[in-house]
Every structure is written in structure tokens, then in C-alpha cells.
Amino acid sequence: MTWVKSWPSKIFFFCETAPPEGGETAIVLGHSITQRMEKKMPEFVSRLRDVGVVTTVTTPIENRVSSFIAKNWKTFLETDDPNEAKKRALNTMNCGSFECFEDGTAKFVFGPLETIRAFEGYDGKEVWFYGIAASGQGNVSQCLGDGSAIPAEAVEAFRAILDEECVNLRWEVGDVLLVDNLAVQHGKRASKPPRRILVSMCK
């Protein structure tokens, strides 16, 4: 959701079917990540503020799962026309470029994106808004906004902080969760099916 131009400020989750194992929703306070990364890697954070991060996503030919990075471009952009797809991608998403290929794949290039942000109404707290640990996860690669590699030690520190700060919420049928999308990062843990969590977003 951070890759679109207009983010929801609040996200509601409702558990219709709880998974038999796993499937927790993981949440972490964005300002906690920023504070700890600044203490652990101040020079890297300073550089990141200056240049941002670039994320490249190559979409698959066939849909695999429900997340954006595992959908083909036709499904995600709801059109079979490459020209219309490019128009929609550039108009609605934070991508600087979009390209379709003859093999059925497509490439989205997002950024440089401002990774650390301070939103109005949050007492000046700076939240870590874009992740830096996506490289190597299948069809995703990342680099700093100047084209240089993200240092491995920065990625390791970021992942360690996420693990330490993260709270895993186990679902039961009927549970409702409200997430402040500007202050909290969230993600899904692996699970055994079935799992059905309904989502509603508001500006």
C-alpha cells in the first residue's frame, strides 16, 4: 500500500475464518524503527534521508497469491492494454517507470521514495514508511536512490529491529483490528489454510 500515491490512513481488519496454524498479523510502530536505526546506523540513516530508496518489482506471468508482487500486471492494473496499464501505473502508483515485456511480465520501478516521514498530527515523530529488506524476495530488488547498494549490515539491523519490536496478533473468528496506517507497519505471517481476513480502508 505504500507504493500507491494515495494511502489509507486507517485500515480495518475482520477475521471471518481463522487459520488453524500461523497467519498472525504482525504490527510494529514506525517511529520505533526510526529511533533504533538512527542509534544503530546513524550514517546510513542520514544517507537514506538524502537519497531515498528505489524498489523494482517484476510481475509474474501468472498470478500466484493475492499480494501485489505475486500478481500479473493485467490483473493488478485491470486491463489487457499495455498503454492503458502504463497510464494507470504512473497515475495511481509511486512508480517512476513501468514497462511491459513480450514474455508477459512487467517491471515497476518505484522511487526514489522518501523512506522516513513525519506526518502532520503525530507530534513530529518520524516513522519508517518504506521497508529496505525486500531485495532477494523473489521478483523484488532494492537499492538506494543514487543507485548504490543498500549495505547488508543495514538490512540485517533493520530485520533484527523488526523482529524485536514486532507484535504478532493471533486471529480468532469475529476479531476486529484497527491499524493506523501512517504510524504502524503491518504484515502477514505464513499460515495453513483456510484463512480469510476481510479488509476495509479509509482515507
Side-chain angles (χ1 to χ4, degrees):
M1 257 176 293
T2 53
W3 292 339
V4 297
K5 287 185 177 179
S6 180
W7 318 291
S9 65
K10 303 293 185 295
I11 307 175
F12 291 87
F13 297 86
F14 173 76
C15 181
E16 183 177 273
T17 305
E21 183 179 323
E24 299 91 348
T25 290
I27 60 173
V28 59
L29 291 171
H31 73 271
S32 296
I33 303 172
T34 303
Q35 290 172 354
R36 293 192 57 185
M37 283 293 289
E38 283 186 312
K39 290 180 181 179
K40 198 162 190 176
M41 303 200 68
E43 292 183 3
F44 169 74
V45 172
S46 176
R47 186 178 175 198
L48 188 63
R49 291 181 191 278
D50 290 337
V51 301
V53 66
V54 172
T55 300
T56 300
V57 178
T58 302
T59 60
I61 299 172
E62 301 293 338
N63 294 329
R64 293 198 292 268
V65 294
S66 59
S67 69
F68 156 60
I69 62 173
K71 289 183 179 180
N72 64 41
W73 63 269
K74 296 178 182 179
T75 299
F76 184 75
L77 296 171
E78 299 181 334
T79 179
D80 293 336
D81 180 0
N83 292 324
E84 178 62 23
K86 183 174 183 178
K87 180 180 177 181
R88 294 182 184 185
L90 297 180
N91 286 344
T92 63
M93 306 187 74
N94 272 323
C95 55
S97 67
F98 171 82
E99 185 177 3
C100 293
F101 301 106
E102 291 184 359
D103 65 357
T105 63
K107 182 169 70 175
F108 293 79
V109 179
F110 298 91
L113 300 173
E114 187 180 358
T115 306
I116 299 170
R117 293 172 173 263
F119 294 102
E120 185 177 352
Y122 290 83
D123 299 324
K125 291 180 179 178
E126 294 184 305
V127 299
W128 200 283
F129 202 61
Y130 294 101
I132 60 168
S135 280
Q137 296 182 19
N139 51 339
V140 181
S141 63
Q142 289 184 300
C143 66
L144 291 175
D146 59 5
S148 60
I150 299 174
E153 57 269 29
V155 175
E156 291 173 5
F158 179 74
R159 287 175 172 164
I161 290 170
L162 284 183
D163 287 341
E164 292 165 9
E165 294 288 334
C166 181
V167 175
N168 294 309
L169 303 176
R170 184 177 296 277
W171 289 103
E172 294 184 6
V173 173
D175 283 350
V176 175
L177 171 66
L178 171 60
V179 170
D180 185 330
N181 194 46
L182 303 184
V184 177
Q185 290 195 10
H186 69 276
K188 171 186 173 295
R189 299 296 189 188
S191 67
K192 289 185 178 180
R195 178 187 188 272
R196 184 172 172 80
I197 308 297
L198 306 182
V199 179
S200 179
M201 297 174 283
C202 59
K203 184 63 178 175

